[in-house]
Amino acid sequence: AIAITEQPVSVSVPVGYSFTLRCRAEGRTSLQYQWFCQHQSVCRQIPGATKQDLPVTAQQTQLYTCRINDLYKNAVFSNWVKVEVHQCVARGLPPRLWQGEPVIVLNPTEQRVEVGKPLQLQCAAMGVPAPSYQWYRNGNLLEHQKKKKLWITHAKVSDSGTYLCCASNSHGEHWTSAVDIHIGRETLPPAEHLQLCHFVFLLATGKIALLVGNNRYQHHPNLMAPVTDVFELSLLLEQLGFQVVSLLD
């Protein structure tokens, strides 16, 4: 019988940050340890990682687990833990003075959403151990919104308000900036809205359009739509007599 007495814990750290994953176990015989990591669905044994403590210098987001064996060939695995790596250190954060308290690296942004459309807010924080999250609207706790992403499939007018998120761990807590979310109906019917867009395009004097589609962001999942959006807008603007310059990322 092997009993794990200390499980490793997930962390969220800046790139290049050094720390230690710890695992402790008890058994009837002497125990052997072996650490494994997983990145993009590929799991591999870490050569030489055969001690209770695993020193890590954060380079990329990965999962880790530790296998413990006894002399009778019994084996158990620790919990999988996530080492989340942020490529940019938060502004004003001195890494040498950081004790692992939550530091916000991505704040939610203000949005206007039509009734019935999805609403997504996102935040992120560094911390050792990795912070837990809790969202609030108008100062009221949202019971089931406890992840970095707040997701409402079909937004209602009552979902309007001021949102913010609290990231916390054993060292303390940190709050994101507050953002106003407006849920309402489109002010113009689709046909009239399209006519207005055509009217604005025709009033342009330079007849030159610069389109920039950004797919990749440092603190946000890669997007898919900008390439299609730029292509479709280019066709529309060219039909209206514009000279179009299109750029990506």
Side-chain angles (χ1 to χ4, degrees):
I2 302 173
I4 296 179
T5 57
E6 182 179 351
Q7 294 277 3
V9 297
S10 297
V11 300
S12 182
V13 296
V15 63
Y17 185 79
S18 296
F19 60 97
T20 300
L21 292 176
R22 294 167 51 88
C23 184
R24 298 288 188 273
E26 295 178 349
R28 296 177 181 175
T29 70
S30 60
L31 301 176
Q32 299 174 332
Y33 294 78
Q34 176 62 59
W35 288 88
F36 296 79
C37 68
Q38 178 176 316
H39 178 64
Q40 294 181 345
S41 300
V42 177
C43 183
R44 64 180 179 86
Q45 179 175 303
I46 304 175
T50 57
K51 297 183 178 180
Q52 296 173 321
D53 294 344
L54 175 67
V56 178
T57 298
Q59 297 298 330
Q60 61 185 357
T61 297
Q62 295 190 121
L63 301 176
Y64 290 83
T65 188
C66 185
R67 184 189 66 205
I68 304 101
N69 295 81
D70 66 12
L71 298 182
Y72 297 116
K73 297 183 179 181
N74 298 312
V76 296
F77 281 84
S78 72
N79 296 337
W80 282 96
V81 294
K82 184 176 183 179
V83 174
E84 184 179 38
V85 179
H86 298 274
Q87 295 301 316
C88 281
V89 176
R91 183 181 304 173
L93 172 66
R96 288 176 296 178
L97 302 180
W98 187 46
Q99 300 299 315
E101 65 275 11
V103 175
I104 302 296
V105 294
L106 177 64
N107 280 287
T109 57
E110 182 173 339
Q111 295 185 40
R112 291 182 177 272
V113 179
E114 290 183 41
V115 172
K117 298 293 185 179
L119 167 64
Q120 178 177 292
L121 296 175
Q122 188 171 356
C123 72
M126 297 190 300
V128 180
S132 57
Y133 296 88
Q134 178 60 63
W135 286 89
Y136 294 78
R137 182 181 68 241
N138 298 332
N140 299 315
L141 183 147
L142 298 174
E143 185 65 33
H144 302 294
Q145 299 292 355
K146 298 179 181 292
K147 298 181 178 180
K148 287 189 290 186
K149 291 183 180 180
L150 178 149
W151 176 259
I152 298 176
T153 307
H154 304 289
K156 306 182 295 294
V157 174
S158 59
D159 292 320
S160 297
T162 301
Y163 287 76
L164 75 168
C165 185
C166 177
S168 62
N169 64 11
S170 55
H171 295 288
E173 61 183 29
H174 203 161
W175 296 74
T176 67
S177 57
V179 294
D180 293 328
I181 304 300
H182 307 276
I183 312 295
R185 300 192 180 278
E186 192 175 359
T187 55
L188 289 175
E192 295 181 21
H193 185 74
L194 184 60
Q195 290 177 358
L196 178 60
C197 290
H198 278 266
F199 180 68
V200 172
F201 286 146
L202 291 172
L203 285 178
T205 57
K207 289 293 185 182
I208 298 175
L210 171 63
L211 300 179
V212 180
N214 288 327
N215 293 292
R216 293 179 172 85
Y217 292 86
Q218 289 180 339
H219 303 300
H220 191 282
N222 291 345
L223 306 179
M224 300 298 294
V227 175
T228 305
D229 293 345
V230 168
F231 176 76
E232 293 181 350
L233 282 173
S234 296
L235 294 179
L236 174 61
L237 291 169
E238 286 172 355
Q239 292 172 0
L240 295 173
F242 281 74
Q243 178 184 350
V244 179
V245 179
S246 299
L247 301 174
L248 291 176
D249 294 323

